[in-house]
Amino acid sequence: VRGETDHQMKTPKTPQAVGIVTHLELEAIAKEVNDTLKPFRAPPCLATSLRYVGQDLLSVWCVAQLTLAAIPWVHTALLWPVYSIVMGTVFSGLWVLGHECGHGAFAPHKWQNDAVGFVLHSALLVPYWSWQYSHNKHHKYTNHVTLGETFVPPVDSEPYSPLSKLYMMPLAFCVYLIKGSNGGVQADLKTQFDPKRWSDHFHSGSQSMPNDLRIEASTLGCIAALALLFWMLGPGGVVFWYMGPYLVANTWLVVYTRLHHTHPDVPHYGPAAHTFLRGALSTVDRPYPWLIDHLHHHIGSTHVAHHICSSIPHYRAVACTEALRPVLGKLYIYDPLPIHRALWQAVHECDHVNRMDHEKTTWTTGVQYYEPRTKTD
């Protein structure tokens, strides 16, 4: 796997090519892409997927045992942040596996995906079916300027400084679950959010959720998990053993979502220009340290393949990415910039899009690119 990552790092980034590719070219490449994906689209293996769950749970147990052993020797002020970072990073692997369940990429049968995904995501306080709905919308409308689900670019300079965007990352996912999509479109995909109505992920009366009792079931799963945590650990134990890692895992989620869909040269599309494949090809693969990539099941280094076909399990994603790269050619986006520099670039240079594109048509019809924060803000 490391050799494949090193090989990917030699690929130059050519993101702007995606914005100017014609519909005819997209249609021509679509068949090649589908043919390339066929060997990887076999139903996922439940036993293999469960093995990865066991591997991640073993990592959780090892980190917990090492922390217990360190408690008599290391001051809490030092131990807790170190433990939180390490355990939260391990939690993120389980998060990715629960995410695969939502895509049907964990097991061959829907009930198996839903059963495992509900348990894994509830344990991480993610409302499973609610987030499955909004996340599938994110996949369907990736980089759509009006129907996109997350990190939809505003048309005016944001009131947040680059540093404040970084500071807010640990709580950003929690805010998203409460406030809903920053695209601001209701579940009917037509009506703008009503600021007087709820737009959260926790009940089916929310304007961002479908009318489905599974939304309430998702919320009950999170409540049950939280109650179990307090019963097992007590309030102090929940703060020490769970809340720190929980916030770190959420930070990783925000890092992945921002970095793989935010870049100065990656296009965003209005309704007249957007297609599923254009959106998927506006996703960016990036290099992560080997251990992080391993723990997180290659979600960051194979994100393009994941957006082209989200039902492919992670253990086929590296090979799938290698197969897609020569087919996509210049349309495959890989940015070799180190993650810490890429994150600063994303929050500093990607602030808003213009209301008018280069052809002077309305901003929702054409191809848009991020603009940096204006100096007067």
Side-chain angles (χ1 to χ4, degrees):
V1 173
R2 187 167 187 170
E4 293 170 347
T5 302
D6 292 341
H7 181 60
Q8 288 178 354
M9 290 181 68
K10 299 175 184 177
T11 306
K13 65 184 183 71
T14 55
Q16 295 209 24
V18 183
I20 60 175
V21 67
T22 66
H23 285 283
L24 189 62
E25 289 173 308
L26 282 175
E27 289 176 5
I29 202 172
K31 184 180 185 306
E32 281 191 82
V33 168
N34 284 328
D35 289 343
T36 303
L37 292 175
K38 283 180 182 178
F40 305 101
R41 278 178 160 160
C45 175
L46 177 61
T48 300
S49 297
L50 288 174
R51 177 167 62 83
Y52 283 102
V53 173
Q55 171 185 295
D56 287 355
L57 290 175
L58 178 61
S59 297
V60 168
W61 182 84
C62 289
V63 173
Q65 292 303 308
L66 287 172
T67 304
L68 283 169
I71 286 176
W73 307 98
V74 183
H75 195 281
T76 303
L78 174 62
L79 180 61
W80 185 70
V82 172
Y83 159 76
S84 296
I85 291 170
V86 175
M87 184 65 92
T89 301
V90 172
F91 273 9
S92 297
L94 291 167
W95 209 111
V96 171
L97 296 178
H99 152 264
E100 287 209 329
C101 293
H103 284 298
F106 187 90
H109 301 292
K110 186 177 185 302
W111 71 267
Q112 295 169 331
N113 284 293
D114 286 346
V116 177
F118 177 71
V119 171
L120 290 179
H121 269 188
S122 295
L124 296 168
L125 302 186
V126 180
Y128 173 71
W129 283 288
S130 311
W131 189 78
Q132 180 190 56
Y133 169 78
S134 60
H135 185 65
N136 285 340
K137 181 185 167 198
H138 158 67
H139 272 258
K140 186 175 181 179
Y141 297 108
T142 302
N143 282 31
H144 194 298
V145 296
T146 58
L147 298 180
E149 180 66 17
T150 53
F151 290 109
V152 178
V155 294
D156 296 304
S157 191
E158 291 190 303
Y160 308 111
S161 70
L163 283 177
S164 67
K165 293 177 186 178
L166 295 176
Y167 295 150
M168 291 187 295
M169 286 197 305
L171 294 174
F173 183 63
C174 302
V175 173
Y176 165 68
L177 291 178
I178 295 169
K179 292 184 64 177
S181 164
N182 70 328
V185 180
Q186 295 185 20
D188 63 5
L189 302 181
K190 298 176 182 178
T191 311
Q192 289 295 308
F193 272 176
D194 181 348
K196 298 179 181 179
R197 292 182 55 199
W198 290 100
S199 55
D200 58 86
H201 282 68
F202 299 110
H203 71 293
S204 55
S206 167
Q207 59 187 320
S208 64
M209 290 289 108
N211 186 16
D212 190 327
L213 287 177
R214 289 179 300 175
I215 307 302
E216 278 75 16
S218 302
T219 302
L220 290 174
C222 294
I223 293 172
L226 201 54
L228 184 62
L229 283 168
F230 275 96
W231 178 71
M232 293 175 60
L233 303 174
V238 168
V239 171
F240 181 88
W241 292 104
Y242 186 83
M243 291 311 298
Y246 168 76
L247 293 174
V248 170
N250 284 355
T251 301
W252 274 114
L253 171 62
V254 174
V255 166
Y256 282 120
T257 308
R258 183 183 287 276
L259 285 186
H260 297 286
H261 303 288
T262 307
H263 190 285
D265 297 333
V266 168
H268 293 258
Y269 300 100
H274 186 272
T275 67
F276 171 81
L277 187 55
R278 268 186 164 175
L281 292 175
S282 298
T283 304
V284 184
D285 279 350
R286 296 186 182 273
Y288 286 85
W290 176 84
L291 182 59
I292 298 298
D293 206 32
H294 171 74
L295 288 173
H296 296 171
H297 308 296
H298 313 289
I299 191 63
S301 59
T302 63
H303 214 71
V304 174
H306 173 63
H307 267 261
I308 292 174
C309 186
S310 58
S311 62
I312 293 174
H314 73 274
Y315 46 84
R316 298 175 191 156
V318 173
C320 181
T321 297
E322 289 299 303
L324 281 172
R325 284 177 59 214
V327 174
L328 296 177
K330 67 179 183 179
L331 300 182
Y332 172 72
I333 304 176
Y334 177 84
D335 186 355
L337 199 64
I339 296 306
H340 65 285
R341 290 175 57 193
L343 189 59
W344 178 249
Q345 179 190 61
V347 299
H348 187 259
E349 298 182 27
C350 302
D351 184 75
H352 65 282
V353 296
N354 290 325
R355 289 182 180 273
M356 305 291 285
D357 66 16
H358 63 283
E359 295 177 347
K360 303 302 181 183
T361 57
T362 56
W363 78 280
T364 58
T365 61
V367 178
Q368 306 292 321
Y369 292 91
Y370 266 115
E371 298 288 338
R373 182 180 173 87
T374 57
K375 293 182 179 179
T376 56
D377 292 335

